[in-house]
């Protein structure tokens, strides 16, 4: 019996306890996360959603349930992006005042929250932009609790049309509007956008090489959101790159099981 | 009250229809106005409902939009990080599609109710909350006012953590216009009564709104169109009605009027007024009616003519005598009435009565067929003798009459003689009648200016009676001397006769002696009847015509016999006194009379009884009369032939009848002195013949000695007359 089928049945038969937890940190908006306690013998997983999404994004939600079913404590926070207790995806047209630093700060806070729960070993698991932000945290805030990094469909911080023209960076309000990530008109303060753009492909590859924890990237064989030869460039780093043939950026459909298998393998629950 | 004419009815119909159409037009006009007003009222009501619904929806929508903004996470974002509040307020909210409609401004206020950044914005919002959250403030801004609405924003669903407030500025007109398609209300004229700055709840909006119904030009135009169409329709109908009335007049009224006038003229033609000709009518059915009527009228006229002919025939038949073909009594009376009415009879009018002598005897002897033939022959003879313009009437039986207008006595007598000559010239032997048939004619002439049919008839009757008397001329003119005969027709005398028949005591017998010649010895007395009528006594001259005319002869004979018997039984007649009794022609053949007479003979004793009968009695039923005479003779009676010489004086009768005595009529006795030699010679020869035959002769009317001597010389065996004594009552 495949392990994923076992986990699925386990999910149906014995649904673990799922809680929405909120946390408030000084100077920050209240944040919300789904927390599922697992076995203390297994590393906890801090599962981070993609750009402007929430922890209810399908691939995150499925992984939360499956990993918790596999016995892992899973904490899937929703980055506030400046919105207290944010529940929904933030629209591209919104005023994106959030920054990479805010995300790193919130990850750090949630790790602290996990620490408060007695968790000592955490694997950062991100999807898409969340993979990059998890990498950024691991790279910029070395935390002994973090034992590894798994990036699913990791994507770098870059503008869709290339680099941002210097002279058009900001309007009267100090906002720039650029095609960023999947947003065609992403409007944000210049600094905010720059904080993300700072994590360019080169920096990502560079930071991967500097990581002190093992890093694995699971990529879709047919992910069309990636930059040119992005998977190849990742493969040329120290990180492990695993490819699910045929899968796209969101790993949905039949590929979610392959994704789960690979994640569990990386978490050491099974042998590849 | 005569019914109205068709023309008047048609006019009334057209007028009534016109009034009805006009009335209906006016009614519908008013109904359209009323309907328009009702629609307007309903639209006003609908507008009120519509405005209330619109404002209720507006309030809900404002709340909904406020809730949407409150729940918008970017609102929370601003409440936490208001660094870019102005951009969010001015751009992001608009870009997110939250503005629009009547929502012009969204503003955020902090927990203390102060506006973010202290800036009211380009479309200024109050710097501080003017009202409590959940309430609205009405501003007199815009065409219909502006509403400010504020709601709190909490960090938690339970509403314990207040983050700030959201303020909305809503242009009511724009909001209404965008959210509602008004059908009945005019959105431009929705007004709100609160003064600027008034605080109110959203739910109060419908109550505070004033409105006006939307003008509905289409409805008004439709109403005008309806009214215009109605007016045109009414005029069209009235015009059509006018034309139809003309057509009706042409096709129906006038033709029917013509038809009616023609019918009226045909039904009641007025002299000098032409009957309208029958002309074709413009309507098939009417023309058929006209043709049918003409045909009907033609047939009716034909039928009428036929009826008139039949009526004339019937009337003519009703005025004709079936046996003779001459006019009857009815025609006589009608013609007399007409003649009196038109006074065209001239100076004198003569009524001429004809009567066949002894017709009853002829009829009884030869039968009715012969009698009828005699009547027809008399009618033909009289008609031939009369002038062409004179009408002959059969008055009944053997009696005829004619009226001769504008005539004098000479001409009348000439006509009468001509009539008599025609009758005498007719050969009655062809019918088997041996005796001559003669007629008696009574004439009465009256002035045309004083015509009294009853009186004239009475006079003519008297003249006729006189003519009938034996020995008289057969053509007799009435004269005043006949007045004493008026008892013939006098009611008084008739009543006396009938009373006497019922009460024989009213009959008184007078007796005139008959003397035996030449000894002058009274041998018997002739019983002569009288009738007591009060103080008067009716003589036979007044009695017998009535008895004869009424057919009472036999009955009267019995009454006379009873009177004689009474005198005999009463001893008024001496025991040896002989009696001569007159029997009528009817009595001699009547069994009861014979039996009564036989009874009287049985009680006569030694008395001599003579039964006198006239030769007329012998003519009538000669066999029966002869047999009865023989029975009387066998019973002891003698029989005498009375009034010999006044009638036919047929020697055949004299030779055949079993009589003992022959009484010469007074007219013959008088001729012995007054007659010419030839008449006297004939009388002498006849007397001698009778005596030779074995009869005894009785002379009547012997009034003087000379006449007595004469009859004695001629061999008469008996005589009676005033010379010997007048008739007197028994015992006198």
């Amino acid at each position: 019996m495949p392990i994923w089928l076992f986990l699925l049945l386990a999910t149906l038969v014995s649904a673990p306890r799922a809680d929405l937890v909120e946390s408030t940190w000084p100077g920050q908006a209240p944040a919300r996360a789904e927390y599922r306690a697992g076995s203390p013998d297994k590393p906890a997983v801090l599962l981070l959603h993609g750009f402007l999404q929430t922890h209810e994004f399908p691939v995150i939600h499925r992984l939360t349930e499956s990993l918790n079913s596999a016995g892992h404590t899973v904490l899937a926070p929703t980055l506030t992006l400046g919105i207290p207790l944010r529940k929904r995806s933030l629209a591209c047209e919104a005023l994106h005042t959030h920054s990479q630093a805010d995300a790193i700060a919130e990850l750090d806070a949630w790790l602290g929250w996990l620490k408060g729960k007695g968790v000592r070993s955490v694997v950062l698991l991100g999807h898409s932009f969340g993979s990059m932000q998890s990498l950024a945290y691991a790279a910029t805030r070395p935390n002994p609790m973090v034992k590894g990094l798994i990036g699913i469909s990791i994507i770098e911080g870059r503008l869709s049309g290339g680099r941002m023209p210097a002279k058009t960076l900001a309007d009267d309000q100090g906002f720039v509007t650029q095609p960023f990530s999947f947003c065609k008109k992403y409007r944000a303060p210049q600094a905010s956008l720059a904080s993300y753009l700072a994590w360019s492909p080169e920096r990502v590859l560079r930071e991967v090489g500097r990581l002190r924890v093992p890093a694995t990237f699971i990529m879709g064989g047919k992910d069309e959101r990636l930059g040119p030869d992005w998977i190849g460039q990742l493969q040329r780093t120290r990180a492990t790159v695993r490819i699910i043939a045929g899968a796209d950026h969101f790993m949905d459909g039949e590929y979610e099981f392959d994704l789960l298998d690979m994640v569990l393998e990386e978490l050491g629950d099974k042998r590849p | 009250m005569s019914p109205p004419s068709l023309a008047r009815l048609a006019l009334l119909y057209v007028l009534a229809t016109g009034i009805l159409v006009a009335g209906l037009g006016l009614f519908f006009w008013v109904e359209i106005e009323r309907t328009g007003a009702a629609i307007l009222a309903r639209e006003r009501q609908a507008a009120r409902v519509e405005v209330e619904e619109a404002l209720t929806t507006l309030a809900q929508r404002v709340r909904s939009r406020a809730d949407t903004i409150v729940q918008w996470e970017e609102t929370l974002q601003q409440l936490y990080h208001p660094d870019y509040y102005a951009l969010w307020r001015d751009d992001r909210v608009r870009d997110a599609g939250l503005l629009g409609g009547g929502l012009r401004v969204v503003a955020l206020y902090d927990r203390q109710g102060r506006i973010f950044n202290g800036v009211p914005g380009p479309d200024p919002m109050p710097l501080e909350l003017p009202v409590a959250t959940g309430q609205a403030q009405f501003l007199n801004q815009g065409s219909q006012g502006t509403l400010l609405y504020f709601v709190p924003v909490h960090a938690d669903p339970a509403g314990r953590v207040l983050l700030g407030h959201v303020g909305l500025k809503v242009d009511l007109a724009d909001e209404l216009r965008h959210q509602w398609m008004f059908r009945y209300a005019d959105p431009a004229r929705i007004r709100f009564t609160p003064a600027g700055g008034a605080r109110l709840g959203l739910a109060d909006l419908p109550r505070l709104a004033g409105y006006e119904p939307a003008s509905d030009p289409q409805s008004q135009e439709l109403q005008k169109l309806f009214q215009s169409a109605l007016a045109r329709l009414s005029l069209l109908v009235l015009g059509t009605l006018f034309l139809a009335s003309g057509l009706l007049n042409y096709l129906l009224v006038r033709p029917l009027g013509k038809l009616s006038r023609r019918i009226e003229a045909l039904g009641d033609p007025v002299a000098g007024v032409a009957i309208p000709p029958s002309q074709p009518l413009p309507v098939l059915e009417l023309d058929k009616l006209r043709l049918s009527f003409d045909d009907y009228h033609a047939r009716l006229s034909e039928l009428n003519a036929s009826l008139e002919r039949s009526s004339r025939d019937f009337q003519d038949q009703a005025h004709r005598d079936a046996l003779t073909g001459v006019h009857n009594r009815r025609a006589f009376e009608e013609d007399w009435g007409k003649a009196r009415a038109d006074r065209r009879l001239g100076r004198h009018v003569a009524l001429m009565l004809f009567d066949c002598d002894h017709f009853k005897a002829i009829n009884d002897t030869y039968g009715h067929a012969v009698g009828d033939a005699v009547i027809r022959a008399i009618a033909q003879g009289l008609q031939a003798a009369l002038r062409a313009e004179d009408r002959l009437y059969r008055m009944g039986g053997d009696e005829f009459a004619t009226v001769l207008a504008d005539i004098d006595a000479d001409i009348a007598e000439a006509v009468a003689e001509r009539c008599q000559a025609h009758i005498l010239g007719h050969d009655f032997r062809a019918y088997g009648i041996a005796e001559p048939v003669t007629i008696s004619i009574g004439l009465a002439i009256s002035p045309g200016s004083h015509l009294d049919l009853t009186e004239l008839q009475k006079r003519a009757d008297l003249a006729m009676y006189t003519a009938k008397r034996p020995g008289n001329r057969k053509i007799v003119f009435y004269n005043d001397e006949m007045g004493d005969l008026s008892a013939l027709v006098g009611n008084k005398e008739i009543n006396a006769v009938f009373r006497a028949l019922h009460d024989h005591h009213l009959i008184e017998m007078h007796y005139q002696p008959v003397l035996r010649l030449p000894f002058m010895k009274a041998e018997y007395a002739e019983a002569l009847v009288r009738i007591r009528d009060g103080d008067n006594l009716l003589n036979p001259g007044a009695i017998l015509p009535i008895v004869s005319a009424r057919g009472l002869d036999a009955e009267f004979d019995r009454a006379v016999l009873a009177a004689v018997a009474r005198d005999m039984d009463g001893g008024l007649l001496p025991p040896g006194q002989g009696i001569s009794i007159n029997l009528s022609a009817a009595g001699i053949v009547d069994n009861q009379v014979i039996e009564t007479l036989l009874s009287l003979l049985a009680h006569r004793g030694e008395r001599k009884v003579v039964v006198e009968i006239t030769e007329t009695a012998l003519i009538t039923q000669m066999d029966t009369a002869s047999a009865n005479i023989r029975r009387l003779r066998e019973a002891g009676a003698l029989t005498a032939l009375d009034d010999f010489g006044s009638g036919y004086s047929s020697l055949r009768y004299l030779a055949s009848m079993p009589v003992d005595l022959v009484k010469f009529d007074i007219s013959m006795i008088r001729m012995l002195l007054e007659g010419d030699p030839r008449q006297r010679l004939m009388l002498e020869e006849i007397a001698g013949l009778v005596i030779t035959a074995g009869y005894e002769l009785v002379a009547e009317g012997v009034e003087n000695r000379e006449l007595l001597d004469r009859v004695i010389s001629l061999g008469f065996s008996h005589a009676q007359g005033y010379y010997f004594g007048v008739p007197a009552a028994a015992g006198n």
Side-chain angles (χ1 to χ4, degrees):
Chain A
M1 174 185 293
I3 186 64
W4 59 267
L5 184 56
F6 171 78
L7 291 175
L8 178 61
L9 290 175
T11 301
L12 295 174
V13 172
S14 59
R17 189 166 59 93
D19 290 326
L20 281 177
V21 295
E22 296 178 359
S23 180
T24 302
W25 300 277
Q28 293 185 346
R32 173 181 290 173
E34 182 176 0
Y35 171 72
R36 295 185 182 230
S39 172
D41 299 332
K42 292 187 176 181
V45 177
L46 194 154
L47 187 53
L48 187 60
H49 57 77
F51 191 55
L52 305 182
Q53 302 301 322
T54 68
H55 68 268
E56 294 177 349
F57 194 73
V59 64
I60 300 302
H61 181 67
R62 288 193 299 268
L63 284 172
T64 299
E65 291 184 339
S66 300
L67 293 176
N68 182 243
S69 298
H72 294 275
T73 295
V74 179
L75 178 66
T78 295
L79 295 179
T80 65
L81 303 180
I83 298 171
L85 301 176
R86 187 171 67 89
K87 299 174 185 175
R88 303 177 189 86
S89 299
L90 190 59
C92 290
E93 294 80 11
L95 300 179
H96 296 283
T97 57
H98 51 87
S99 66
Q100 184 78 319
D102 296 334
I104 291 173
E106 289 186 23
L107 282 175
D108 188 59
W110 282 116
L111 283 171
W113 186 86
L114 280 174
K115 188 177 181 179
K117 292 290 184 179
V119 175
R120 294 294 178 265
S121 178
V122 176
V123 173
L124 299 179
L125 177 59
H127 173 250
S128 188
F129 207 78
S131 297
M132 186 271 281
Q133 289 176 314
S134 297
L135 170 64
Y137 176 78
T140 58
R141 295 274 185 100
N143 188 330
M145 292 176 64
V146 176
K147 302 305 181 184
L149 170 66
I150 301 174
I152 303 169
S153 302
I154 186 172
I155 196 168
E156 72 282 22
R158 61 182 174 84
L159 297 175
S160 300
R163 286 190 176 278
M164 186 167 50
K167 60 180 181 182
T168 58
L169 283 180
D171 57 14
D172 294 341
Q173 305 295 328
F175 275 73
V176 294
T177 301
Q178 292 293 327
F180 178 66
S181 182
F182 56 83
C183 293
K184 295 180 180 177
K185 290 183 178 179
Y186 183 78
R187 192 178 190 191
Q190 189 172 13
S192 175
L193 178 58
S195 69
Y196 294 117
L197 293 178
W199 287 84
S200 63
E202 294 80 8
R203 185 175 179 184
V204 169
L205 295 174
R206 186 169 62 245
E207 295 294 344
V208 168
R210 293 177 183 173
L211 282 177
R212 296 177 182 177
V213 294
T216 300
F217 298 106
I218 301 173
M219 306 300 287
K222 288 190 175 179
D223 191 344
E224 296 178 350
R225 292 179 175 265
L226 304 177
D229 193 29
W230 176 243
I231 295 177
Q233 293 182 56
L234 290 175
Q235 287 174 331
R236 286 191 286 273
T237 64
R238 290 172 52 197
T240 302
V241 177
R242 304 185 68 173
I243 299 172
I244 300 176
D248 61 5
H249 190 70
F250 300 102
M251 304 286 180
D252 51 4
E254 59 182 312
Y255 303 108
E256 63 182 85
F257 304 109
D258 294 333
L259 173 64
L260 181 58
D261 285 343
M262 287 184 181
V263 170
L264 289 175
E265 287 171 1
E266 294 302 322
L267 291 174
D269 291 342
K270 58 185 292 187
R271 294 293 180 186
Chain B
M1 178 177 175
S2 59
S5 65
L6 180 64
R8 181 170 297 176
L9 284 177
L11 180 60
L12 286 175
Y13 169 75
V14 170
L15 287 176
T17 307
I19 292 172
L20 179 64
V21 169
L24 283 175
L26 184 61
F27 171 75
F28 283 116
W29 184 282
V30 172
E31 279 299 306
I32 290 173
E33 292 276 359
R34 189 179 302 168
T35 302
I39 290 174
L40 189 60
R42 282 198 295 273
E43 287 183 344
R44 179 176 289 277
Q45 173 68 13
R48 183 181 66 79
V49 173
E50 187 177 48
V51 168
E52 288 178 357
E53 289 181 357
L55 292 175
T56 301
T57 304
L58 181 144
Q60 293 172 350
R61 183 175 165 85
V62 169
R63 286 193 199 93
S64 175
R65 297 182 76 167
D67 289 344
T68 300
I69 294 172
V70 166
Q71 293 174 12
W72 192 31
E73 290 184 334
E74 294 183 38
T75 303
L76 300 177
Q77 177 193 24
Q78 291 303 314
L79 289 173
Y80 276 92
H81 303 288
D83 302 337
Y84 301 101
Y85 167 70
L87 183 62
W88 175 85
R89 179 195 65 200
D90 298 338
D91 293 346
R92 176 54 192 152
V93 172
R94 181 193 63 230
D95 294 343
L98 297 177
L99 295 180
L103 182 58
R104 293 181 0 220
V105 178
V106 175
L108 296 179
Y109 292 79
D110 60 17
R111 284 191 292 269
Q112 289 72 33
R114 295 188 295 269
I115 197 166
F116 269 24
N117 296 342
V119 177
D123 190 351
M125 290 289 283
L127 296 177
E128 293 183 353
L129 292 180
V131 294
T133 55
Q135 284 194 333
Q137 184 185 33
F138 182 79
L139 302 177
N140 277 330
Q141 294 182 350
S143 59
Q144 290 171 319
T146 302
L147 197 70
L148 299 178
Y149 183 59
F150 301 92
V151 290
V153 183
H154 294 93
D156 57 325
R160 291 190 294 268
V161 181
L162 180 65
L163 294 177
H165 306 273
V166 170
L168 306 180
K169 178 182 283 187
V170 180
D171 186 303
L172 292 174
D174 283 349
E175 186 66 13
L176 284 173
R177 189 163 49 249
H178 282 85
Q179 75 166 23
W180 199 268
M181 291 294 293
F182 283 94
R183 166 69 179 82
Y184 299 104
D186 183 0
R189 289 194 286 175
I190 296 177
R191 294 289 183 271
F192 296 92
T193 54
R199 298 172 182 178
L200 66 158
L202 287 178
D204 297 330
L205 276 179
R207 181 174 54 82
L208 301 174
Y211 62 92
E212 289 293 333
S215 63
D216 189 353
Q218 288 185 343
S219 176
Q220 295 174 357
E221 185 65 23
L222 192 62
Q223 179 177 344
K224 290 180 180 176
L225 284 175
F226 272 130
Q227 289 177 330
S228 174
L230 180 63
R232 288 197 299 272
L233 180 63
S234 299
L235 289 175
L236 181 63
V237 171
L238 287 174
T240 304
L241 182 64
F242 178 76
L243 294 176
S245 65
L247 200 59
L248 177 70
N249 183 56
Y250 173 74
L251 291 178
L252 291 179
V253 176
R254 287 177 57 193
L256 283 175
K258 285 182 179 178
L259 195 57
S260 174
R261 287 191 292 275
R262 178 170 165 76
I263 291 172
E264 188 176 4
L266 288 172
D268 186 17
V270 177
V273 177
I275 295 175
S278 180
Q279 296 175 338
L281 299 180
V283 178
L284 177 63
E285 287 76 7
L286 289 180
D287 200 50
K288 285 184 177 178
L289 179 64
R290 175 188 66 84
L291 293 174
S292 298
F293 171 76
D294 287 348
D295 181 60
Y296 170 75
H297 180 262
R299 285 191 287 174
L300 192 62
S301 298
E302 184 179 353
L303 178 62
N304 189 41
S306 175
L307 284 175
E308 285 184 354
R309 286 194 298 273
S310 299
S311 177
R312 280 197 301 272
D313 292 344
F314 178 76
Q315 189 173 13
D316 190 58
Q317 289 176 1
H319 291 74
R320 289 282 180 178
D321 175 58
L323 178 63
T324 62
V326 301
H327 296 86
N328 57 15
R329 177 181 285 275
R330 173 186 288 183
F332 172 78
E333 292 173 349
E334 290 182 4
D335 289 350
W336 186 263
K338 292 176 183 175
R340 285 191 62 192
D342 63 13
R343 305 282 184 182
R344 288 184 296 178
L345 294 177
R347 285 187 303 108
H348 292 93
V349 175
L351 173 61
M352 190 180 297
L353 295 181
F354 307 91
D355 194 279
C356 179
D357 298 328
H358 313 300
F359 176 73
K360 188 172 188 305
I362 296 172
N363 205 31
D364 292 342
T365 302
Y366 300 102
H368 292 293
V370 174
D372 290 346
V374 170
I375 292 298
R376 281 196 293 271
I378 291 173
Q380 290 171 0
L382 294 176
Q383 188 70 70
L386 291 174
R387 299 174 300 183
E389 65 272 20
D390 297 331
R391 280 187 170 186
L392 179 65
Y393 306 94
R394 186 186 179 197
M395 305 300 285
D398 57 336
E399 185 178 342
F400 295 85
T402 186
V403 177
L404 305 176
D406 195 16
I407 198 168
D408 56 25
D410 294 338
I411 298 176
E413 185 172 9
V415 172
E417 289 174 348
R418 191 165 62 244
C419 290
Q420 195 172 44
H422 271 80
I423 299 305
L424 289 174
H426 190 81
D427 184 11
F428 287 95
R429 289 176 300 179
Y431 311 136
I433 300 174
E435 297 79 7
V437 176
T438 60
I439 58 172
S440 299
I441 301 174
L443 276 160
I445 297 179
S446 172
S449 59
H450 182 66
L451 279 179
D452 184 338
L453 177 62
T454 304
E455 181 63 24
L456 198 59
Q457 269 191 305
K458 181 179 176 182
R459 293 182 180 183
D461 280 338
L462 291 174
M464 169 62 71
Y465 176 74
T466 303
K468 283 281 189 181
R469 298 280 292 178
N472 289 349
R473 191 168 177 263
K474 290 300 180 184
I475 298 174
V476 176
F477 277 85
Y478 170 81
N479 56 61
D480 293 338
E481 295 177 356
M482 296 176 183
D484 58 345
L485 297 176
S486 61
L488 274 173
V489 291
N491 290 332
K492 183 179 177 183
E493 290 78 6
I494 293 172
N495 290 337
V497 170
F498 277 97
R499 281 198 304 271
L501 287 174
H502 288 88
D503 183 4
H504 295 170
H505 292 90
L506 296 176
I507 296 178
E508 296 181 7
M509 300 308 296
H510 286 204
Y511 300 93
Q512 186 178 37
V514 180
L515 284 71
R516 184 73 177 183
L517 298 179
F519 309 108
M520 303 293 284
K521 177 184 178 183
E523 187 171 295
Y524 61 94
E526 182 177 4
L528 299 172
V529 69
R530 303 287 189 270
I531 291 178
R532 171 65 61 183
D533 182 19
D535 296 334
N536 298 322
L537 280 178
L538 298 184
N539 292 321
I543 296 170
L544 295 182
I546 295 172
V547 172
S548 177
R550 297 296 185 272
L552 302 171
D553 305 76
E555 187 178 358
F556 193 75
D557 285 346
R558 289 196 301 274
V560 169
L561 291 174
V564 171
R566 185 187 63 210
D567 289 349
M568 289 171 63
D569 295 340
L572 297 178
L573 294 174
Q577 176 69 57
I579 302 170
S580 175
I581 303 172
N582 290 279
L583 285 187
S584 65
I588 197 62
V589 294
D590 186 88
N591 284 334
Q592 290 186 13
V593 172
I594 297 302
E595 293 299 329
T596 303
L597 188 54
L598 290 173
S599 176
L600 185 145
L601 288 171
H603 296 83
R604 76 183 190 280
E606 297 299 325
R607 202 184 306 273
K608 182 178 182 178
V609 175
V610 179
V611 178
E612 297 186 10
I613 56 177
T614 64
E615 59 183 358
T616 304
L618 297 178
I619 296 172
T620 304
Q621 302 181 56
M622 180 175 286
D623 294 338
T624 303
S626 298
N628 288 339
I629 290 172
R630 278 192 292 271
R631 291 178 63 192
L632 293 175
R633 293 182 68 189
E634 289 171 358
L638 296 176
T639 56
L641 181 63
D642 198 9
D643 295 335
F644 182 77
S646 62
Y648 300 116
S649 300
S650 172
L651 294 178
R652 182 171 67 89
Y653 297 141
L654 187 60
S656 303
M657 294 300 290
V659 298
D660 302 298
L661 301 170
V662 176
K663 292 183 73 173
F664 272 43
D665 188 76
I666 191 172
S667 59
M668 294 183 67
I669 297 301
R670 286 176 178 168
M671 281 195 297
L672 292 176
L673 295 180
E674 300 171 359
D676 54 32
R678 188 171 58 90
Q679 288 176 327
R680 288 197 296 270
L681 177 60
M682 284 189 67
L683 278 175
E684 292 169 359
E685 291 300 325
I686 291 172
L689 179 63
V690 174
I691 292 170
T692 303
Y695 301 105
E696 290 186 332
L697 293 181
V698 181
E700 289 182 325
V702 177
E703 298 173 346
N704 50 51
R705 182 66 201 185
E706 183 182 4
L707 194 54
L708 176 61
D709 293 339
R710 185 66 180 153
V711 297
I712 291 174
S713 65
L714 288 177
F716 280 77
S717 59
H718 295 81
Q720 65 179 115
Y722 289 171
Y723 181 72
F724 307 109
V726 297
N732 295 327

